[in-house]
């Protein structure tokens, strides 16, 4: 397949390249749904960064963020997911941005664990309230370790991505997906770069937009939102367009092709400057080219 030519240096800040073999069997069953014919191919990509880079070339994508986080009790991912991400991304540090996590319910040394992520070259810490089973602002109600994680990330300049919205995986607690909980984080850690993943879809878009308008250091990652519905979900998107990050959530359910999402996004009635901001320049501000 030939490489796609694109006028943008596209950064997709949210794809799932993870050690899927570690998934709990009932979680893997859900992950496989709709991907049965391509499952072995997808598993092989998790072992081979060069295969992923070829897919990026074919799609006309420059860089991707490799979402990883520990969730040993719900998903099956342990802290080894951090080492996996760092090693995988080392195949091409310019184009592969590794994400990792520290689980506040399992860490005994939150500051040291954040420092270890930085030392590994991790570019973003992922908090997944639905899969880690706590609200994103649980430090306001006694979860001290979570507050210490945020504080250390703020000190080290490590962005934090927080999942918002629902999750379909067994054991996931979607009640923890409300973006309003980011209000506390943005107030209490004013110098922490926060990425709101998924914009609260499919239930909490109004709450998401309120947070984005109120807090300038919160960015919107549009992954998981069908591109053709983006302006239905966020009709005033242009008001925050300087903080919108392109993402697809590939290869999650419903996202079959990286390029198809881009092509659909390009049909939206947005200006050339706004398209370039979302696909290219906003991510370069947050993640300068290495």
């Amino acid at each position: 397949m030939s490489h796609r030519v694109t006028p943008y240096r596209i950064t997709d800040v949210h794809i799932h390249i993870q050690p899927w073999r570690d998934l709990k069997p009932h979680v893997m069953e859900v992950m496989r749904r709709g991907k049965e014919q391509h499952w072995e191919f997808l598993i092989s990509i998790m072992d081979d960064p060069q295969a992923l880079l070829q897919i990026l070339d074919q799609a006309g994508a420059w860089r991707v963020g490799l979402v990883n986080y520990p969730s040993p009790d719900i998903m099956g991912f342990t802290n080894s997911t951090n080492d996996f991400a760092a090693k995988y991304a080392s195949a091409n540090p310019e184009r592969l941005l590794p994400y990792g996590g520290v689980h506040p319910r399992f860490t005994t040394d939150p500051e040291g664990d954040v420092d270890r992520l930085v030392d590994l070259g991790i570019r973003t810490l992922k908090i997944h309230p639905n899969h880690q089973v706590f609200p994103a602002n649980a430090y306001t109600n006694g979860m001290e370790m979570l507050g210490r994680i945020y504080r250390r990330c703020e000190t080290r300049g490590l962005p934090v991505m927080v999942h918002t919205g629902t999750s379909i995986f067994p054991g996931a607690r979607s009640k923890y997906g409300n973006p309003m909980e980011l209000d506390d984080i943005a107030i209490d850690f004013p110098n922490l770069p926060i990425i709101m993943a998924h914009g609260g879809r499919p239930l909490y878009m109004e709450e998401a937009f309120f947070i984005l308008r109120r807090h300038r250091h919160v960015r919107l990652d549009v992954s998981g939102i069908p591109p053709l519905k983006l302006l239905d979900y966020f009709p005033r998107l242009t008001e925050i367009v300087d903080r919108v990050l392109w993402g697809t959530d590939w290869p999650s359910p419903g996202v079959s092709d990286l390029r198809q999402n881009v092509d659909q996004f390009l049909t939206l009635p947005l200006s050339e400057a706004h398209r370039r901001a979302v696909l290219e320049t906003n991510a370069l501000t947050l993640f300068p080219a290495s």
Side-chain angles (χ1 to χ4, degrees):
M1 188 182 297
S2 62
H3 294 184
R4 292 292 295 267
V5 177
T6 175
Y8 309 104
R9 300 179 82 194
I10 297 171
T11 298
D12 183 334
V13 301
H14 197 126
I15 73 168
H16 287 275
I17 297 294
Q18 298 162 288
W20 281 5
R21 290 185 179 84
D22 294 346
L23 289 169
K24 292 180 178 292
H26 57 294
V27 175
M28 188 178 294
E29 182 181 339
V30 173
M31 186 75 83
R32 277 176 59 102
R33 231 175 259 163
K35 306 187 190 76
E36 290 83 359
Q37 293 182 335
H38 312 291
W39 182 253
E40 292 306 320
F41 173 66
L42 290 173
I43 285 287
S44 72
I45 294 170
M46 308 298 160
D47 299 328
D48 185 2
Q50 297 306 321
L52 176 64
L53 291 166
Q54 186 175 20
I55 289 171
L56 301 188
D57 289 339
Q58 291 165 359
W62 171 40
R63 302 188 300 175
V64 286
L66 311 175
V67 173
N68 280 270
Y69 54 91
S71 173
D73 47 347
I74 302 299
M75 299 295 285
F77 298 129
T78 68
N79 284 335
S80 65
T81 192
N82 297 322
D83 297 301
F84 166 88
K87 181 179 178 183
Y88 195 100
S90 69
N92 193 321
E94 178 192 26
R95 301 183 68 190
L96 305 177
L97 310 176
Y99 301 174
V102 178
H103 199 313
R105 291 195 291 107
F106 293 94
T107 183
T108 57
D109 180 16
E111 292 84 5
D113 286 345
V114 170
D115 289 344
R116 279 183 276 278
L117 294 186
V118 175
D119 291 342
L120 279 172
I122 297 297
R123 302 289 292 271
T124 293
L125 184 143
K126 173 69 181 289
I127 293 289
H128 201 311
N130 310 48
H131 295 175
Q132 294 175 322
V133 196
F134 57 83
N137 62 349
Y139 67 90
T140 65
N141 195 32
M143 187 178 276
E144 176 195 356
M145 295 299 189
L146 180 59
R148 289 167 62 182
I149 290 167
Y150 289 143
R151 182 69 66 203
R152 193 61 163 193
C153 288
E154 183 180 43
T155 300
R156 297 301 306 266
L158 185 66
V160 171
M161 174 182 282
V162 181
H163 175 99
T164 63
T166 59
S167 174
I168 63 170
F169 291 105
R173 306 289 176 149
S174 289
K175 67 180 179 179
Y176 296 134
N178 194 325
M180 282 300 295
E181 290 157 358
L182 275 64
D183 193 46
D184 284 334
I185 306 169
I187 291 167
D188 296 334
F189 305 95
N191 296 311
L192 175 66
I194 301 168
I195 305 168
M196 179 196 296
H198 315 308
R201 81 167 294 259
L203 302 177
Y204 305 114
M205 286 75 75
E206 291 185 5
E207 292 90 337
F209 190 69
F210 170 79
I211 296 299
L212 291 159
R213 289 188 68 224
R214 185 174 189 212
H215 300 291
R216 292 280 313 166
H217 60 297
V218 179
R219 293 168 168 87
L220 170 64
D221 150 21
V222 300
S223 66
I225 300 173
L228 295 178
K229 293 186 177 180
L230 180 58
L231 295 181
D232 295 333
Y233 286 175
F234 293 99
R236 296 162 63 190
L237 186 80
T238 56
E239 294 181 25
I240 56 162
V241 75
D242 60 327
R243 287 177 286 127
V244 178
L245 302 169
W246 179 250
T248 60
D249 215 24
W250 181 88
S252 294
V255 185
S256 59
D257 182 78
L258 287 168
R259 186 65 204 189
Q260 182 182 54
N261 275 43
V262 173
D263 289 341
Q264 290 178 353
F265 171 75
L266 291 174
T267 68
L268 298 178
L270 296 170
S271 70
E272 171 62 20
H274 289 166
R275 291 174 181 173
R276 186 170 298 278
V278 173
L279 293 172
E280 179 179 332
T281 55
N282 291 344
L284 275 168
T285 300
L286 184 62
F287 302 118
S290 57

